């Protein structure tokens, strides 16, 4: 399988605040969460974007079934079953994932369209993933395109 960019997540349009809060990853938990995520998911690289309006895993899929593994991991973060999250999650791959990343970074996929805070959150999420050894060259290039 050729590695592909993958986004699995939920946001303010797909999930109520209660669900988003249950899946949120706190800064203090980020290093452990990234280690667990990469070990459990089949992602070669991973980034967690967790804000008040979204929880997304951006990654490089190196094995088939990675999206399902990410969904199981997300569900496990709060003791849910994957089926409980199914109606709230979206999965995007390849060019669709890159377009989604750009829309998020630009604030086009925000509750308040154009809000600038998300740009800093995307930068911080990528920097944290790099610092914890979870992000590599593919996510660096994709995130760089999204930020531009």
């Amino acid at each position: 399988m050729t590695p592909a960019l993958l986004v699995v997540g939920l946001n303010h349009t797909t999930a109520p605040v209660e669900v988003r809060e249950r899946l949120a990853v706190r800064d203090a938990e980020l290093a452990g969460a990234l280690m667990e995520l990469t070990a459990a998911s089949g992602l070669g690289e991973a980034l967690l974007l967790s804000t008040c309006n979204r929880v997304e895993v951006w990654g490089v899929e190196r094995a088939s079934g990675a999206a399902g593994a990410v969904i199981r991991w997300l569900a496990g973060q709060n003791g849910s079953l994957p089926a409980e999250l199914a109606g709230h999650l979206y999965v995007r791959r390849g060019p669709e994932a890159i377009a989604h990343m750009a829309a998020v970074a630009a604030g086009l996929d925000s509750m308040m369209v154009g809000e600038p805070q998300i740009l800093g959150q995307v930068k911080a999420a990528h920097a944290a993933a790099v610092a914890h050894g979870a992000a590599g060259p593919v996510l660096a290039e994709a995130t760089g395109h999204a930020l531009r």
Side-chain angles (χ1 to χ4, degrees), residues 12-123:
H12 63 283
T13 64
T14 67
V17 68
E18 300 81 28
V19 173
R20 297 190 314 264
E21 286 177 349
R22 286 195 328 248
L23 295 182
V25 177
R26 313 285 183 262
D27 287 344
E29 304 164 340
L30 190 57
L34 284 166
M35 283 183 19
E36 290 173 14
L37 174 61
T38 54
S41 67
L43 294 177
E45 299 178 33
L47 178 155
L48 276 165
L49 179 61
S50 184
T51 73
C52 59
N53 287 321
R54 75 183 60 252
V55 176
E56 293 183 348
V57 173
W58 298 1
V60 178
E61 190 174 28
R62 65 174 181 212
S64 62
V70 169
I71 292 168
R72 288 188 297 279
W73 182 83
L74 283 168
Q77 294 307 294
N78 69 343
S80 298
L81 295 173
E84 295 175 80
L85 298 179
H88 301 296
L89 292 170
Y90 43 82
V91 176
R92 297 185 171 97
R93 287 184 173 86
E96 188 177 90
I98 293 170
H100 174 78
M101 292 169 75
V104 168
L108 299 175
D109 191 53
S110 295
M111 190 176 289
M112 291 179 45
V113 174
E115 64 92 8
Q117 185 178 11
I118 189 66
L119 184 65
Q121 292 167 328
V122 170
K123 286 180 184 178

Side-chain angles (χ1 to χ4, degrees), residues 122-147:
V122 170
K123 286 180 184 178
H126 182 255
V130 168
H132 297 301
V138 176
L139 276 178
E141 184 174 345
T143 304
H145 283 296
L147 294 172

